[in-house]
Amino acid sequence: MEDKGKGFSLRQKKSRRGPSSKPKQISGPINTTSQQTPPRGPIRPNINGRTDTTPANTSDLVKRRYSTRFTQLPDFSNANASPVPAVPTLPAQFSQSDSLPSTTWQGQKVTVDINAMKDTNLQAEKYSSNLLSDASDQELRDYQASLRKLKNRASTDLQQNVYQNRTQFIKISKEAEKLKGEMRTLRGLMSELTASLSQVSINAGAPEPRTSLEDGARTRARKQANRSSVANLEAMWNVQLHALWKNVEGSQKFLPAIPGRHVVMEQSSWLELDAATWKARRYAHIFLLNDHLMVATKKKRKIDPNALTNGDATQNTSSRIVADKCWPLQDIDIVDLASAGSSGGGDRSAMSNAISVRHGHESFTYRSEKSSSTEKTNLLLAFRRTADELRRALRADVEENSNKSKETMDYLTTRDPALSNKTDLLRSLSGAKDRPEILIDVDGKHQNLRWVDGQIDELDSEVALQRFEDAVRHVEKLRRLAKGLKGNMIAQDLITTKVDERARKLADILTLRLATTHAHLTATQTNIAHLVRLNFSPLARSTYLTARTQLIAQRAHQVMFEGDLRHHIFQLSFVYFSLMRNTVKVYQQCFPPVMMSSCVKWAKERLDGFNEVLGRQLGSVRVGSDTWRDCILRAKEHADMVGEVGLDFRELVGLGMGAGAGGGGVVNGAMDAPHGEGEQ
């Protein structure tokens, strides 16, 4: 019995609560001293002395428990309960919320706060949720429209700012390039002036061994020279060079007059030594110029018999100076033999003032007559300083020439990748670097290639801003200009290459627009007219006809088969021939009559395509049946529409279909529809 009792969970739980588990009806406050009433039904004790209920009593208890009704709610009002506390007030610092007030209690229209939009730390989701939390649908639409207007205005302002900034940038770049060239020229002149003044100051303070150059007239001329004037400096250099030609025979052959050439140092107390025996051969004069080193030797004058008869004894002892050797400074090197230790121990003291001039595989040795090494040291220092200045000057000249070529020719070629394939033009441009600046005649005024570059920049701006009419007019102007330059082939080829490159880019944009707007007559005529003026008529023709072909195929795909074959052929033929008629009509308005053959060929190809589709659709229909004749008749009626534009394709509709009749009933894959009922 205990195991059986454990199986009923309800009886076990109820038995633990007391003698009765009958629910009570609540009619008032529950009293803790309420008496319990015994349940209905017979009660019998079990073996253990506990009361137990039958299954019927158990079900009755369950019904009573779930069918209890509350006829009167209890009174929860208790006088002894504490009252509900009041809502505390919000502190003053937290009285205003960070979020924006809603539009409902404000009663105002939601406006776009431009200052809030300019904030870089704006959280869009939080801002919009706070602002539009209580907004109505109409307010949301108005706010969205205001945002769109603000976006469009910002986009327009940005476009205008970019255009203005680009125009100003181009103008400033041109001014900067011009100023850069002027500053480069000024820097070169200042470098030459500084070097010349330093050399003049050195020469003015150094002792001159030659008596002919130490006269008072030369000293006074140096003191009176205006060293701040380049013209006076050039004049002084010319005087020195002419004095050198006068005193040294044959020097003019080695040192012709060129701008800027001058004497840096002159020393006469030198002996030329034999390289094998180290013995003195003859006296030598060393002249150091700003770009050359010349060595002159003393030779005795020829004895004049008349002078001996007259008793002129000065002719026997006089000698003349003859130029012997001359080398460019960048090709020689002067070595101090005392530091090199080339001589033996006994000759070390004698060779302390000797130098060696090396030119390629040749070597020449010279020794100073003076015991001190001052002249040798001065010569070595002056040579190294002059050689360094010459090296820097040559490097500056190379850089200036390269920069000038970039500014004139190479700079123009680097902006256009199309010029990289023009090897002949690049070769001509590289050969024209040493020539004068190329000028072209534009409306009676001479313009350089920089003007052409500015015109190309304006053309790029017009293309970027989609001002196609101005861009096409600009291309035509530059092409006429290039065509008129018959005597200047380099400028003509350069302008033609640049203009053709821009015209090709413009044609690509117009072609894309034509492919997307071919269904509109005005836009199609405008785009084709621009392409024709740019000499891209074949591209315009092929683009337009290809776009119309794709449109016919697309419309044919949209014709669905709905069970009636006659109606399906009617729709299909109407699509083909109506679009063919419209295409030919627009083609005749946009292209000249000499190009009409391409349109006729295109229409014939579309007719062949229609016949192919028609043959597959009528493949399961018996030739000559009523359905077959009805379909062919409707197709021919629609073919008469092409006759409105001068093409008679009526007799070509369904041509050759009788030979292939009786084939399979496979529908054209382009139609994506099954055949209708066929008649055999």
Side-chain angles (χ1 to χ4, degrees):
M1 293 296 294
E2 291 179 358
D3 297 335
K4 186 177 180 180
K6 291 180 180 179
F8 295 92
S9 61
L10 183 60
R11 295 177 61 185
Q12 290 178 358
K13 293 179 180 179
K14 297 303 181 179
S15 61
R16 295 175 184 176
R17 293 182 180 178
S20 176
S21 61
K22 179 180 178 182
K24 300 179 181 180
Q25 293 183 356
I26 300 175
S27 58
I30 300 176
N31 297 326
T32 57
T33 59
S34 61
Q35 297 181 357
Q36 297 180 355
T37 59
R40 296 181 181 180
I43 301 176
R44 58 182 180 179
N46 55 10
I47 300 175
N48 297 329
R50 299 178 182 178
T51 59
D52 194 5
T53 59
T54 61
N57 294 334
T58 302
S59 60
D60 183 61
L61 291 175
V62 172
K63 291 180 180 180
R64 289 175 179 272
R65 182 175 181 86
Y66 287 100
S67 61
T68 302
R69 297 180 180 178
F70 298 92
T71 58
Q72 184 178 0
L73 293 177
D75 186 10
F76 294 101
S77 60
N78 193 352
N80 298 327
S82 59
V84 178
V87 178
T89 59
L90 192 65
Q93 59 269 23
F94 301 105
S95 59
Q96 295 181 355
S97 177
D98 294 337
S99 60
L100 295 177
S102 61
T103 57
T104 302
W105 62 271
Q106 275 188 347
Q108 299 178 358
K109 182 180 179 180
V110 182
T111 58
V112 179
D113 189 1
I114 300 179
N115 296 327
M117 297 298 175
K118 294 180 180 179
D119 188 7
T120 57
N121 299 324
L122 176 65
Q123 298 180 2
E125 296 182 359
K126 183 178 180 181
Y127 176 80
S128 58
S129 61
N130 293 334
L131 180 64
L132 305 174
S133 58
D134 298 332
S136 61
D137 294 342
Q138 184 62 32
E139 291 175 344
L140 290 176
R141 285 191 291 269
D142 295 342
Y143 190 75
Q144 185 179 13
S146 302
L147 288 178
R148 285 200 184 97
K149 293 180 180 179
L150 182 62
K151 178 183 177 182
N152 296 334
R153 185 167 62 253
S155 178
T156 304
D157 295 342
L158 179 62
Q159 185 177 6
Q160 294 295 332
N161 291 335
V162 169
Y163 175 70
Q164 294 177 1
N165 293 338
R166 185 179 185 277
T167 305
Q168 295 177 0
F169 177 76
I170 293 174
K171 185 183 299 183
I172 294 174
S173 299
K174 294 178 181 179
E175 295 294 335
E177 290 293 335
K178 184 179 179 181
L179 182 61
K180 184 178 179 182
E182 295 177 354
M183 291 299 297
R184 189 180 297 110
T185 304
L186 181 60
R187 184 170 62 250
L189 294 176
M190 292 298 296
S191 300
E192 294 179 1
L193 178 60
T194 303
S196 302
L197 291 177
S198 61
Q199 295 298 331
V200 170
S201 62
I202 293 174
N203 293 336
E208 298 293 340
R210 294 191 64 219
T211 307
S212 60
L213 298 178
E214 290 179 348
D215 52 358
R218 182 180 176 186
T219 303
R220 287 191 299 270
R222 286 178 178 175
K223 291 181 179 180
Q224 294 176 359
N226 187 5
R227 297 177 180 176
S228 61
S229 175
V230 179
N232 294 338
L233 188 60
E234 291 284 347
M236 186 177 62
W237 288 347
N238 291 332
V239 171
Q240 292 180 358
L241 196 59
H242 282 82
L244 179 64
W245 293 343
K246 180 179 179 181
N247 296 324
V248 180
E249 296 182 6
S251 60
Q252 190 173 3
K253 179 182 64 175
F254 294 108
L255 302 172
I258 62 174
R261 175 169 288 174
H262 59 277
V263 179
V264 177
M265 180 177 288
E266 178 185 357
Q267 292 181 354
S268 59
S269 57
W270 288 89
L271 294 174
E272 182 180 356
L273 304 181
D274 192 346
T277 61
W278 299 95
K279 293 182 179 181
R281 297 177 57 184
R282 52 189 173 181
Y283 290 97
H285 287 248
I286 297 178
F287 297 90
L288 178 63
L289 286 82
N290 63 322
D291 56 350
H292 281 75
L293 179 69
M294 188 181 68
V295 178
T297 58
K298 290 183 179 181
K299 292 184 180 181
K300 294 182 179 181
R301 295 180 183 272
K302 294 181 180 181
I303 299 176
D304 190 359
N306 297 327
L308 294 176
T309 305
N310 297 331
D312 190 0
T314 58
Q315 293 287 341
N316 298 331
T317 58
S318 63
S319 60
R320 57 193 177 94
I321 302 176
V322 181
D324 185 25
K325 301 178 182 66
C326 187
W327 308 282
L329 291 184
Q330 63 269 21
D331 296 340
I332 64 172
D333 188 16
I334 300 179
V335 181
D336 187 4
L337 295 181
S339 60
S342 59
S343 61
D347 298 333
R348 187 179 301 274
S349 59
M351 294 293 105
S352 60
N353 295 332
I355 60 173
S356 176
V357 180
R358 298 177 181 178
H359 176 260
H361 298 287
E362 298 178 346
S363 179
F364 304 93
T365 306
Y366 301 93
R367 181 172 59 86
S368 177
E369 290 182 340
K370 297 183 179 181
S371 59
S372 63
S373 59
T374 305
E375 288 193 1
K376 184 191 70 172
T377 304
N378 293 338
L379 179 62
L380 292 175
L381 292 176
F383 170 76
R384 292 169 184 171
R385 182 177 63 252
T386 306
D388 292 340
E389 292 176 356
L390 179 61
R391 194 177 299 109
R392 289 194 297 267
L394 293 177
R395 187 183 302 111
D397 291 341
V398 172
E399 293 178 356
E400 183 178 358
N401 292 334
S402 62
N403 293 333
K404 185 177 180 181
S405 63
K406 289 181 180 178
E407 293 174 0
T408 54
M409 296 295 181
D410 294 342
Y411 173 76
L412 298 176
T413 58
T414 53
R415 300 187 58 188
D416 297 296
L419 291 177
S420 59
N421 300 327
K422 304 289 184 179
T423 56
D424 297 338
L425 179 58
L426 292 177
R427 191 179 299 110
S428 301
L429 292 174
S430 60
K433 293 178 182 178
D434 299 332
R435 302 175 186 175
E437 187 178 10
I438 299 177
L439 298 177
I440 56 178
D441 188 7
V442 181
D443 297 334
K445 297 181 181 179
H446 292 286
Q447 304 287 351
N448 55 7
L449 294 181
R450 282 291 182 182
W451 179 85
V452 177
D453 196 24
Q455 296 296 317
I456 295 297
D457 290 338
E458 293 182 5
L459 178 58
D460 291 337
S461 301
E462 292 169 354
V463 174
L465 296 175
Q466 295 187 358
R467 299 174 181 174
F468 299 118
E469 180 63 29
D470 297 338
V472 172
R473 191 183 303 111
H474 218 143
V475 169
E476 293 176 341
K477 175 183 177 182
L478 293 176
R479 281 179 173 174
R480 288 194 301 267
L481 176 63
K483 191 176 181 180
L485 299 176
K486 297 181 179 180
N488 195 343
M489 298 303 298
I490 297 178
Q492 184 180 12
D493 294 341
L494 183 62
I495 296 174
T496 302
T497 304
K498 288 179 172 292
V499 173
D500 290 344
E501 179 69 18
R502 268 65 180 186
R504 191 175 299 107
K505 294 180 180 179
L506 180 58
D508 293 339
I509 299 176
L510 293 175
T511 300
L512 181 60
R513 291 173 58 88
L514 177 60
T516 55
T517 61
H518 60 88
H520 304 280
L521 177 60
T522 304
T524 302
Q525 289 178 341
T526 304
N527 294 327
I528 292 178
H530 289 161
L531 290 172
V532 171
R533 291 168 59 186
L534 293 174
N535 296 334
F536 286 96
S537 300
L539 179 61
R541 177 187 59 202
S542 60
T543 302
Y544 176 68
L545 295 180
T546 302
R548 300 300 292 180
T549 301
Q550 295 175 356
L551 179 63
I552 292 176
Q554 181 182 2
R555 294 293 186 266
H557 275 289
Q558 296 176 356
V559 176
M560 304 300 296
F561 182 77
E562 298 178 353
D564 189 356
L565 184 59
R566 296 180 179 86
H567 185 66
H568 181 68
I569 298 299
F570 177 87
Q571 294 178 340
L572 195 63
S573 60
F574 180 80
V575 168
Y576 266 87
F577 292 108
S578 61
L579 292 178
M580 289 169 59
R581 177 196 60 187
N582 298 337
T583 302
V584 175
K585 183 183 297 184
V586 175
Y587 189 93
Q588 291 175 348
Q589 298 177 6
C590 297
F591 293 96
V594 294
M595 301 178 63
M596 192 61 195
S597 59
S598 299
C599 184
V600 175
K601 180 181 178 181
W602 173 85
K604 180 62 172 56
E605 292 176 355
R606 304 287 75 75
L607 177 63
D608 295 339
F610 173 75
N611 287 335
E612 184 180 357
V613 173
L614 183 62
R616 282 196 290 265
Q617 294 292 336
L618 299 179
S620 60
V621 181
R622 182 171 57 84
V623 178
S625 61
D626 295 339
T627 303
W628 191 89
R629 288 195 300 269
D630 195 6
C631 292
I632 295 296
L633 181 60
R634 294 184 179 184
K636 289 184 177 181
E637 290 177 354
H638 287 156
D640 293 337
M641 292 188 297
V642 187
E644 299 176 4
V645 292
L647 300 180
D648 188 8
F649 287 164
R650 180 179 179 86
E651 300 300 329
L652 299 178
V653 175
L655 185 64
M657 292 179 54
V666 181
V667 184
N668 182 16
M671 297 300 101
D672 294 334
H675 279 300
E677 63 226 351
E679 291 181 79
Q680 302 296 334

